[in-house]
Amino acid sequence: MPTNTPDTTTRKAPARDIGRRELLKLTGAGVAAFGAASLFNIPFAEAQDMSNGANNFYTSDQVTSEKVMFKSQYEWRVAGNLFLPNNLDRATRHPAIVVGHPMGAVKEQSASLYATKMAEQGFLAMAIDLLFWGESEGEARQIVSPDVYAEAFSAAVDFLGTREFVDRNRIGAIGVCGSGSFVISAAKIDPRMKAIATVSMYDMGAANRDALNHSQTVEQRKQIIAEAAAQRWVEFEGGSTEYTSGTVHELTADTHPIQREFYDFYRTPRGEFTPASSTPRLTTHPTLTSNVKFMNFYPFNDIETISPRPMLFISGDQAHSREFSEDAYKRAAEPKELVWVKGAGHVDLYDRVDLIPFDKLTSFFGRHLAA
């Protein structure tokens, strides 16, 4: 795969992957042999890879889209793709939904697909870039800040609720993967979000503190924190930025099966997307020094206070991340629902339109955002 090497005076390609890579090593899962040939020896097709129902870049002739920008409480501007049904009556107020992308992704990856599909069902829907990512503002780029991520959802509610054709009392939210934990964090302190759904949710706090299946020790956690702290000296004194976690850029015989799952989406035409604020080599990778902010992120604490607003948790029954949806569902108060998608893995629900239960999302928001 062709890559662009960034200016190393300001950015550095990921040399250490102590985030997601270490998380995967610690799961104890077996490594499937891939074969001797690397995918780097296979030229990418020009068109999107739509195998097995994947359609990340789906567009609809029933929907009109427009780019929008709006200020957050921190005075940084949040970028959104707003999707409107073609038959929208602007003289009437309608329900709206804000959609957040997976951690490390941007709004063009998964979030815009979900927003387009919900707009087809008559909702106004907006996919947003989290602050520090994609077209949203915030420096340095690709920083981890769970509080600021949650603020992006509330800022989206500010924007939607001040449109003349939106009913501000009927605004819901969808969080995919990491955004599932960010939208929960936002909804706990923003009751304007009247119904909340998560899909393939990652609790980014637990994932970084404990790894999958609680397989990371406290000593290993401390080592990660120490490396990030040491890197702060380097960067404060003018050294290059170090990046971590994210998705590998090459498959080998030893690549973990979960990394292969992410690679198939982020590093192939199926879902690969590079915003102007990044480079192909840096996409999906947060900064090393900021990634430890997730260690202090506990989105499920007090999740029961979201009640009586309804919550819907959707996960593949084969997803490596299913433990996070199970945990959130257990802690949440009624009304709540946990939906298992048979045969689906984690990344399958990013873009495999034949597996994603859009009918369930439509009925959930239709019921709970009704006039």
Side-chain angles (χ1 to χ4, degrees):
M1 184 181 85
T3 60
N4 295 334
T5 303
D7 179 354
T8 55
T9 62
T10 57
R11 289 180 169 181
K12 186 175 180 182
R16 293 180 299 214
D17 262 355
I18 60 173
R20 183 180 287 168
R21 284 191 190 180
E22 288 304 308
L23 180 152
L24 298 176
K25 290 178 183 178
L26 293 164
T27 62
V31 178
F34 181 73
S38 166
L39 284 189
F40 276 59
N41 298 324
I42 303 173
F44 284 165
E46 292 295 325
Q48 178 192 0
D49 177 4
M50 297 172 61
S51 60
N52 299 311
N55 201 354
N56 178 69
F57 300 106
Y58 175 79
T59 59
S60 173
D61 59 9
Q62 303 173 49
V63 171
T64 300
S65 65
E66 58 183 87
K67 286 186 173 293
V68 297
M69 297 285 290
F70 47 92
K71 281 189 176 182
S72 72
Q73 196 172 55
Y74 300 114
E75 295 297 311
W76 287 315
R77 294 194 303 167
V78 178
N81 289 340
L82 179 62
F83 297 88
L84 307 174
N86 289 343
N87 60 357
L88 180 73
D89 179 1
R90 290 177 178 257
T92 302
R93 294 188 181 274
H94 304 272
I97 300 170
V98 56
V99 186
H101 57 74
M103 176 61 202
V106 291
K107 63 184 179 300
E108 288 78 13
Q109 293 168 308
S110 191
S112 286
L113 164 62
Y114 274 77
T116 300
K117 286 289 190 178
M118 298 312 294
E120 284 185 334
Q121 301 304 314
F123 298 94
L124 284 78
M126 183 170 66
I128 61 170
D129 278 326
L130 297 177
L131 289 160
F132 304 116
W133 295 84
E135 295 179 302
S136 286
E137 292 182 339
E139 295 292 341
R141 302 306 296 163
Q142 297 175 207
I143 274 202
V144 166
S145 181
D147 177 68
V148 174
Y149 293 169
E151 163 60 20
F153 282 93
S154 288
V157 174
D158 294 339
F159 173 81
L160 289 171
T162 52
R163 302 309 96 187
E164 62 182 8
F165 44 82
V166 172
D167 184 344
R168 65 172 54 181
N169 294 313
R170 293 193 287 158
I171 298 176
I174 299 172
V176 181
C177 186
S179 276
S181 58
F182 309 145
V183 74
I184 288 173
S185 179
K188 288 191 299 185
I189 56 172
D190 193 340
R192 300 174 303 167
M193 299 178 198
K194 301 301 184 182
I196 298 94
T198 70
V199 183
S200 285
M201 178 169 55
Y202 251 79
D203 174 349
M204 294 306 301
N208 280 270
R209 282 188 302 274
D210 306 318
L212 296 178
N213 303 314
H214 296 267
S215 54
Q216 181 166 273
T217 67
V218 172
E219 288 307 311
Q220 288 168 323
R221 182 193 310 172
K222 288 181 177 179
Q223 179 184 354
I224 293 170
I225 293 171
E227 286 203 35
Q231 180 63 20
R232 289 184 67 116
W233 295 118
V234 174
E235 294 177 18
F236 188 82
E237 294 177 329
S240 60
T241 301
E242 186 92 19
Y243 294 82
T244 187
S245 194
T247 301
V248 297
H249 293 265
E250 182 176 5
L251 295 180
T252 70
D254 295 326
T255 302
H256 193 282
I258 297 175
Q259 271 290 8
R260 295 178 184 280
E261 186 181 359
F262 285 112
Y263 181 99
D264 189 57
F265 181 79
Y266 287 111
R267 305 300 181 206
T268 77
R270 173 183 166 190
E272 186 173 22
F273 186 90
T274 303
S277 62
S278 189
T279 70
R281 189 66 184 167
L282 290 178
T283 56
T284 78
H285 299 287
T287 63
L288 173 66
T289 55
S290 72
N291 199 61
V292 292
K293 299 293 193 296
F294 280 138
M295 301 290 187
N296 280 342
F297 182 48
Y298 294 84
F300 299 166
N301 284 4
D302 300 322
I303 189 175
E304 70 276 5
T305 62
I306 293 175
S307 176
R309 289 171 290 152
M311 301 194 71
L312 170 65
F313 306 99
I314 297 173
S315 175
D317 67 356
Q318 303 302 308
H320 66 264
S321 58
R322 58 177 291 160
E323 64 184 275
F324 303 123
S325 293
E326 289 176 321
D327 186 25
Y329 176 77
K330 183 189 306 181
R331 298 183 187 211
E334 296 288 352
K336 61 182 179 179
E337 188 173 359
L338 176 59
V339 172
W340 296 113
V341 180
K342 186 175 181 180
H346 176 84
V347 178
D348 286 334
L349 299 186
Y350 285 12
D351 67 339
R352 298 201 188 281
V353 294
D354 295 338
L355 284 175
I356 298 169
F358 288 114
D359 55 345
K360 182 62 183 179
L361 287 165
T362 299
S363 63
F364 173 76
F365 287 110
R367 182 167 68 256
H368 295 296
L369 298 182

